[in-house]
Amino acid sequence: MIDDVRAEPAALRAEDIAPFFSFTLLEYTSDDPGTAFAKLRDFVRTSAGRTRVRRTARAVGELYGDSDRAESIRLREATGIDEVFGIVREQTKAPSWAMGDSPFTDLVHDLVVIARRGRFVALHGGEIISDRALDKWVDRPGVPFRRLPHPVLAGLFPGDVRMAWMKGTHRPRTTKADTIAKGGLRLQEESKPLEAASYALRAAKTDFDPQDATALLRGSVIVSPDKSRVSWANRTDLITTLRALVETFESVDKALVAEKPPDPILPDLAVREADLATVRCAIDISVATTFDHPLEDYTEEHLDRIGLLQGALMDVTGKDRSAEFIVDVGRDGSVCGQLLMKPIRRGHGYMLDVRLHGTPSAEAVVREIRHAIGDGDLLTVHFESGHAFIGNQIYRQNPTGSPFRGYEFADFTGFTITREKPNVAGDQNIHEAIAVGTDSFLFTWVARRYSTGELICDDGAGEIADFLHLDNDGTLTAIHVKAADSASAARQVSLTRYEQVASQAVKNIRALANDELISRLSSPRVGAPASWSDGNRVPDRSRFIEGLRARVDSDETYVVIVQPHLLQSVHDRAREAMAAGAPSAASRRLQLLDDLLNGVRASVVGQCDDLIVIGSADY
């Protein structure tokens, strides 16, 4: 119901009002701030009269700061505000504990205050106007307002960060929290770049100490960039509140006209990007995995799309000054055509506009991949500008730049690096065909490389790793194998080819505890799992399990990822570009891969000794 809130409300005096300093900040998008402010005032009046069932509301007081009354003139002169409007709503409602037919009612008074200075306006009054209602109104055609840019507010009040509330920009996963809340004396010192890079700031409380010693706004300030809101711990009279608001407007104005936004208070966090013009040169594209979300949260359609995209070739080529990019797509390492993609606005976020580009050699395959991509909800696209398209939002993420130190490069000459295991059907047949005859796939490479000590294959549903190796000195190695996307000598760094195998490695770390491992390996899932002792086939895993039982706590455990897609020459040139201070597309991609593998290593060393990633040497 909507009551008549215009029925002769009483005039409010500034001395009667002491609102808590919590304002949503907006900027005009028109050349007529007076008319725009009038529209906002009408919206406030209408909202003040809108109530739920079993409630009544009426305006009992209004404050005008733009009239010629002596009170209004004094208020403007005392604060520096151009226009002020306030409304007090009297509402009767049933208590929250009352049943539907209860005779009890509560009488409450809610306050809304809006204030303008120059091209900025601030609104106080969440009890009457919710964030959702304000968003819906601001998004209407013809409404001349917008929220302030996220990066501006994220760095507007520097100081020791005492509290921070963050949300994940990564795909939801069981191994990483969706949201984080932290408190401390100075959270800047606690921040860990690898952990923080995939989180964006929701709100932060800083101990703000302005350079101007006469400034009113200081101490505990809470900024919520997503909501374009600033709150201050001090509760004071209206005139002091409006003076502090003027200081806020002046700080915002300086930040908006500066050459670049202020430094963020937590610089390791991702920041939501509002300006597509700053997004340029895509350098990597990757696909969600079934480890990124609990399996029950995926629909059958999601799983089909993920499976198709994970098996597809997708090689991105970005454009130097554009967010638009071209993706070579295909199957089995062969390019079948190209797709032209670019992020475009959709509501408060973005989607990928995906179109055929050129004439495909296999149109049906290209169209199938295009259909699976949809609006990009399953994709992550990284850009050289430091941005990432994730979950239909664009965030500015700066790679940490900390190199991963666990790369090794091995000779894969004579092996088919684009295939992992023998091309036969059934788990038992795969185990029997490894390293037999002319088999040259990556599983055979592993069997040849680890030819001393005990080696077993654990490939199949519920595997701990593709292979497990036990050296004669008691060193245990879990080996995860992933095929390269291409065998071309011109192939570049690819984050995609590592994401799934890295997730598998992290997921199965706990199973490497000795007792757990013995228990699981003692009941093999196939009748005769492939096993070797000093390079020779043996009928079962008994020697391997005996070796596990003989291990002691001081024996080392390693996790190895075999992924020959990364060429040593490409790696070395990218490192040289970083060292020379002249980053290339390849070095940007390598930074992203470093970040991924450093994150995996952080999980691995919690229970094992280290992570080793084997790429391909150039021979």
Side-chain angles (χ1 to χ4, degrees):
M1 62 182 291
I2 297 179
D3 289 354
D4 183 7
V5 297
R6 301 175 185 269
E8 297 300 328
L12 292 176
R13 299 185 310 161
E15 288 80 0
D16 295 330
I17 303 172
F20 178 72
F21 190 104
S22 181
F23 286 93
T24 298
L25 308 181
L26 302 173
E27 183 182 9
Y28 289 108
T29 59
S30 72
D31 296 328
D32 187 356
T35 301
F37 192 81
K39 287 184 178 182
L40 179 59
R41 186 168 56 204
D42 289 342
F43 169 66
V44 168
R45 280 197 173 112
T46 302
S47 299
R50 186 174 288 112
T51 64
R52 300 177 184 176
V53 177
R54 298 191 66 227
R55 297 186 183 187
T56 61
R58 67 188 183 95
V60 295
E62 285 194 355
L63 171 74
Y64 294 90
D66 60 341
S67 70
D68 292 330
R69 296 194 326 238
E71 172 75 7
S72 298
I73 294 172
R74 184 180 70 85
L75 184 61
R76 294 198 301 272
E77 291 178 347
T79 62
I81 287 289
D82 294 334
E83 294 182 86
V84 182
F85 172 73
I87 190 167
V88 174
R89 178 182 71 178
E90 180 184 273
Q91 185 178 195
T92 60
K93 62 180 181 178
S96 59
W97 46 262
M99 296 292 289
D101 58 351
S102 170
F104 299 104
T105 58
D106 287 340
L107 179 65
V108 297
H109 292 86
D110 300 316
L111 171 70
V112 177
V113 174
I114 55 175
R116 178 181 75 83
R117 178 179 169 87
R119 60 192 174 120
F120 303 110
V121 67
L123 182 149
H124 164 90
E127 299 86 355
I128 296 176
I129 303 174
S130 67
D131 288 322
R132 183 177 181 183
L134 184 61
D135 276 340
K136 289 177 67 175
W137 183 74
V138 168
D139 287 342
R140 287 180 184 174
V143 173
F145 293 99
R146 63 186 173 203
R147 292 183 184 268
L148 296 182
H150 190 291
V152 168
L153 284 178
L156 196 61
F157 300 101
D160 292 342
V161 180
R162 299 298 176 86
M163 283 290 299
W165 296 264
M166 294 164 280
K167 63 178 180 180
T169 64
H170 49 268
R171 303 186 205 96
R173 62 187 68 178
T174 57
T175 57
K176 200 165 190 178
D178 292 333
T179 61
I180 294 177
K182 290 183 177 181
L185 294 177
R186 181 174 166 81
L187 294 183
Q188 294 98 319
E189 304 296 333
E190 186 270 348
S191 181
K192 299 177 178 62
L194 281 173
E195 296 178 6
S198 68
Y199 287 94
L201 184 69
R202 296 175 62 193
K205 180 169 70 173
T206 63
D207 187 6
F208 178 51
D209 185 14
Q211 293 182 348
D212 183 355
T214 65
L216 292 168
L217 193 67
R218 61 178 60 248
S220 293
V221 176
I222 298 176
V223 61
S224 306
D226 283 350
K227 297 179 180 179
S228 196
R229 181 176 298 151
V230 176
S231 302
W232 184 30
N234 286 21
R235 181 186 180 93
T236 184
D237 61 89
L238 180 62
I239 289 178
T240 303
T241 295
L242 293 179
R243 285 174 176 170
L245 186 60
V246 168
E247 294 178 359
T248 303
F249 285 154
E250 291 174 346
S251 297
V252 169
D253 195 28
K254 291 178 182 178
L256 286 174
V257 299
E259 292 185 1
K260 63 178 184 177
D263 293 333
I265 52 178
L266 291 172
D268 298 327
L269 297 181
V271 177
R272 194 166 65 180
E273 183 60 77
D275 184 6
L276 264 179
T278 65
V279 183
R280 56 178 173 77
C281 195
I283 57 175
D284 195 85
I285 187 168
S286 56
V287 185
T289 76
T290 52
F291 298 104
D292 292 336
H293 214 325
L295 191 59
E296 60 269 19
D297 289 352
Y298 287 108
T299 65
E300 186 174 343
E301 183 254 352
H302 276 126
L303 295 175
D304 289 344
R305 289 170 59 205
I306 289 172
L308 190 150
L309 292 175
Q310 286 179 347
L313 165 69
M314 291 195 294
D315 191 11
V316 64
T317 301
K319 297 184 178 181
D320 287 343
R321 299 181 180 180
S322 173
E324 188 176 76
F325 54 96
I326 295 171
V327 181
D328 293 330
V329 297
R331 284 182 180 162
D332 300 324
S334 299
V335 176
C336 298
Q338 292 182 323
L339 294 173
L340 180 67
M341 304 187 195
K342 64 178 179 179
I344 60 174
R345 282 274 185 190
R346 183 176 65 182
H348 292 294
Y350 297 88
M351 62 172 285
L352 286 183
D353 179 62
V354 185
R355 304 184 182 188
L356 291 176
H357 184 67
T359 303
S361 59
E363 185 172 345
V365 173
V366 177
R367 289 190 178 278
E368 186 179 33
I369 294 173
R370 178 190 176 192
H371 176 75
I373 289 171
D375 66 359
D377 61 318
L378 296 177
L379 298 183
T380 295
V381 183
H382 289 279
F383 295 83
E384 187 172 328
S385 55
H387 294 86
F389 172 93
I390 304 173
N392 295 118
Q393 288 287 350
I394 293 179
Y395 296 90
R396 177 164 52 82
Q397 295 179 302
N398 296 314
T400 65
S402 178
F404 175 67
R405 301 296 186 184
Y407 292 115
E408 291 184 6
F409 296 95
D411 184 4
F412 288 88
T413 303
F415 290 90
T416 306
I417 63 172
T418 56
R419 293 292 301 274
E420 294 159 11
K421 46 192 162 185
N423 189 24
V424 294
D427 288 346
Q428 183 62 68
N429 290 333
I430 290 173
H431 280 253
E432 291 175 358
I434 298 171
V436 174
T438 60
D439 175 49
S440 63
F441 300 136
L442 289 178
F443 275 22
T444 294
W445 182 89
V446 172
R448 299 282 188 258
R449 178 180 176 92
Y450 294 89
S451 58
T452 60
E454 308 299 321
L455 177 70
I456 62 171
C457 179
D458 196 43
D459 177 65
E463 67 186 37
I464 297 169
D466 291 307
F467 290 86
L468 292 160
H469 178 252
L470 189 60
D471 212 339
N472 295 325
D473 62 1
T475 300
L476 175 67
T477 304
I479 305 161
H480 301 268
V481 183
K482 187 67 176 177
D485 205 27
S486 167
S488 169
R491 65 186 183 272
Q492 294 299 309
V493 183
S494 172
L495 189 68
T496 306
R497 306 316 297 174
Y498 288 85
E499 282 199 319
Q500 185 178 13
V501 68
S503 295
Q504 290 172 329
V506 171
K507 179 186 176 184
N508 294 330
I509 290 172
R510 292 184 182 277
L512 299 179
N514 224 46
D515 291 344
E516 171 74 9
L517 192 56
I518 291 171
S519 175
R520 292 181 61 169
L521 295 181
S522 296
S523 301
R525 298 176 310 283
V526 297
S531 305
W532 295 263
S533 180
D534 289 330
N536 300 310
R537 278 266 188 171
V538 291
D540 55 40
R541 298 173 169 177
S542 58
R543 290 175 60 92
F544 189 94
I545 294 173
E546 287 175 11
L548 286 179
R549 291 196 173 102
R551 296 186 80 217
V552 296
D553 290 342
S554 60
D555 288 336
E556 297 179 337
T557 301
Y558 291 88
V559 175
V560 169
I561 292 175
V562 177
Q563 171 46 285
H565 189 92
L566 181 61
L567 282 164
Q568 185 173 7
S569 58
V570 173
H571 168 275
D572 292 349
R573 286 196 298 270
R575 284 276 183 258
E576 290 169 2
M578 291 181 197
S584 62
S587 68
R588 299 281 190 186
R589 291 189 183 102
L590 186 61
Q591 281 183 317
L592 294 172
L593 182 57
D594 285 342
D595 287 352
L596 171 70
L597 296 178
N598 277 324
V600 174
R601 182 179 181 274
S603 298
V604 167
V605 297
Q607 299 188 53
C608 304
D609 287 275
D610 214 341
L611 171 70
I612 298 169
V613 177
I614 299 178
S616 182
D618 296 84
Y619 289 98

